[in-house]
Amino acid sequence: MITAPSVAQLSSRFEEAFGTAPDGVWQAPGRVNLIGEHTDYNEGFVLPFAIDKTARVAIRVRRDSTVRMLSTYGDHGLVETDIATLEPLTAKGWTKYPLGVVWALKQRGIDVPGLDLLLDSDVPLGAGLSSSHAIECAVILALNELTDAGLAAEQMVLATQHAENAFVGAPTGIMDQSASLRGAKGHAVFLDCRDQGVQLVPFEAEEAGLVLLVIDTKVSHSHADGGYASRRESCELGAQVLGVPALRDVGVEMLEEASGLLDDVTFRRVRHVVTENDRVLQTVELLSSDGPQYIGALLDASHVSMRDDFEISCQELDVAVEASRSSGAIGARMTGGGFGGSAIALTPARLEQQVRDAVVIAFADAGFTTPDIFTVTPADGARRLA
Ligand code: ADP
Ligand code: MG
């Protein structure tokens, strides 16, 4: 597990690399989606929360249009480019995320100056915890301030989506950056993806004697792969045949009729989205009225729906979910876009070790790579640190 250096350490790393102190340090968290998967681009509901793992960027504005970028992670070396030459889909590696934000701001007529930027992140990469949006949100928060652009959170959400969709080339929605920018300690972010309406819902697992375990299967997922795009296409087709603007407009009570109008695969994709939206609403109600110890069955049902109807799980995710459930977790599901990444397991704190051990043993028995298992708690959204 990576431990985050202090702000002072980060500033002195910056000074070593670039010769001067940064103008400031900004931080943005990764996120875990508690429930509501593949509902965002269907204009539906999601319930993610910002986690206590963050990307931090130290930035100094330059007088020219050069951007120099360095990450404390891995062995990437200093990357240098010129703002005037930014072209969608051409940037390589991690720098496409900060550069995508610069590009998206420029597209909005904001005059972004050259920058020196040092990234330090302890959000696991490619684990479904949105390490990419953590970077983008830290950068956009910094640039919003440094350029006096005055963008509201909703506009920053759309700008980072534009960066991911058009510049990076990942067809992602608005969930990840909304959680990262708008999250709050002890709360999940109930987001209506149709109008960006946000309601903070108390999610205090610890107080209920629970922990939320993240099981990173280490199976890498990629949005560039066909699976994600083909699910989006099925959803669009389903909405078109059913004559609604988006699957958000299909209620559970309409599913029976829909089954007669859609082919089997499209119907199952639609059924996942429609029932998942309903599960998000039920989860929000239960969290507000009764507490996190009552949402286990909804997490389980969400996983079954993704495994059987949406078909975006994989063996490792299924083993993680089954092993945690059979060793004491009260609910578990894969989280994130699917085809790998992480599962979450809501677990009584006193059974945490038992569940961890059971998952590790099940992975070993199946011949899978040992998973990374850690707990996350709902943390504050993006902010300036120094
Ligand atoms: P996710 O957002 O679910 O973690 P993505 O594929 O969208 O997965 O983003 C992961 C990519 O983000 C990595 O391949 C890497 O390029 C980049 N990345 C994330 N954090 C860092 C970091 N600290 N240093 C360098 N690159 C990073
Ligand atoms: Mg990502």
Side-chain angles (χ1 to χ4, degrees):
M1 197 96 335
I2 317 157
T3 357
S6 68
V7 169
Q9 282 170 322
L10 198 62
S11 296
S12 68
R13 279 285 288 263
F14 185 95
E15 216 167 317
E16 259 168 52
F18 298 114
T20 46
D23 292 332
V25 178
W26 289 260
Q27 161 175 293
R31 64 97 187 94
V32 155
N33 191 19
L34 193 55
I35 195 159
E37 223 66 74
H38 287 260
T39 46
D40 64 347
Y41 54 81
N42 291 297
E43 301 184 16
F45 307 111
V46 292
L47 190 62
F49 63 84
I51 58 174
D52 51 335
K53 294 190 180 297
T54 59
R56 290 163 330 143
V57 290
I59 292 185
R60 185 179 167 88
V61 166
R62 295 171 56 93
R63 294 225 170 92
D64 57 16
S65 58
T66 302
V67 182
R68 294 193 295 173
M69 294 158 289
L70 190 65
S71 170
T72 59
Y73 178 87
D75 193 15
H76 299 283
L78 188 76
V79 179
E80 188 172 325
T81 185
D82 194 288
I83 288 190
T85 66
L86 294 182
E87 284 287 340
L89 308 175
T90 56
K92 305 253 175 313
W94 72 274
T95 60
K96 59 185 175 238
Y97 302 111
L99 293 176
V101 170
V102 170
W103 176 85
L105 291 177
K106 274 186 62 187
Q107 295 291 306
R108 282 161 171 72
I110 296 161
D111 190 18
V112 184
L115 308 164
D116 288 336
L117 182 156
L118 175 66
L119 165 70
D120 178 77
S121 174
D122 64 353
V123 185
L125 276 67
L129 304 182
S130 216
S131 65
S132 62
H133 278 102
I135 301 172
E136 289 160 353
C137 290
V139 171
I140 201 162
L141 196 71
L143 295 185
N144 193 33
E145 242 182 280
L146 292 168
T147 63
D148 288 322
L151 299 179
E154 289 87 342
Q155 293 168 300
M156 289 195 271
V157 164
L158 295 179
T160 49
Q161 184 186 23
H162 192 200
E164 280 244 343
N165 293 172
F167 192 86
V168 175
T172 50
I174 60 164
M175 168 169 68
D176 302 353
Q177 61 275 55
S178 297
S180 183
L181 290 167
R182 307 180 75 180
K185 195 167 192 274
H187 290 81
V189 179
F190 173 37
L191 173 69
D192 182 337
C193 297
R194 176 159 272 172
D195 62 7
Q196 286 205 48
V198 157
Q199 189 190 323
L200 292 173
V201 180
F203 178 61
E204 290 181 324
E206 210 171 311
E207 280 183 14
L210 298 166
V211 291
L212 193 79
L213 286 171
V214 174
I215 302 155
D216 176 4
T217 64
K218 308 271 194 74
V219 177
S220 73
H221 67 98
S222 169
H223 288 155
D225 282 349
Y228 185 88
S230 88
R231 297 308 182 280
R232 282 189 79 137
E233 279 163 24
S234 292
C235 292
E236 277 158 27
L237 174 66
Q240 203 191 334
V241 173
L242 298 175
V244 290
L247 291 182
R248 144 72 170 272
D249 301 301
V250 181
V252 176
E253 73 289 346
M254 292 158 74
L255 280 174
E256 204 181 310
E257 191 192 332
S259 73
L261 299 170
L262 301 167
D263 65 87
D264 172 60
V265 170
T266 309
F267 173 66
R268 286 188 292 114
R269 305 298 188 244
V270 168
R271 182 166 60 187
H272 164 70
V273 173
V274 171
T275 56
E276 185 77 351
N277 269 327
D278 188 56
R279 282 185 288 272
V280 175
L281 297 177
Q282 288 187 53
T283 305
V284 168
E285 277 221 27
L286 283 173
L287 285 177
S288 308
S289 59
D290 300 318
Q293 60 274 43
Y294 295 94
I295 66 168
L298 290 164
L299 301 181
D300 292 343
S302 172
H303 186 75
V304 170
S305 177
M306 286 187 284
R307 186 191 64 199
D308 300 344
D309 273 354
F310 220 58
E311 296 180 282
I312 53 170
S313 190
C314 62
Q315 283 184 333
E316 289 83 352
L317 287 167
D318 291 342
V319 166
V321 165
E322 279 152 30
S324 15
R325 281 294 279 116
S326 58
S327 59
I330 63 167
R333 60 183 285 273
M334 55 152 284
T335 183
F339 312 106
S342 298
I344 54 173
L346 191 59
T347 304
R350 65 191 164 78
L351 299 178
E352 180 185 337
Q353 195 56 49
Q354 185 173 311
V355 171
R356 283 173 175 268
D357 293 345
V359 172
V360 169
I361 290 167
F363 268 58
D365 286 348
F368 300 152
T369 307
T370 312
D372 247 346
I373 307 178
F374 48 91
T375 58
V376 287
T377 53
D380 278 327
R383 66 199 161 97
R384 186 174 187 159
L385 292 181

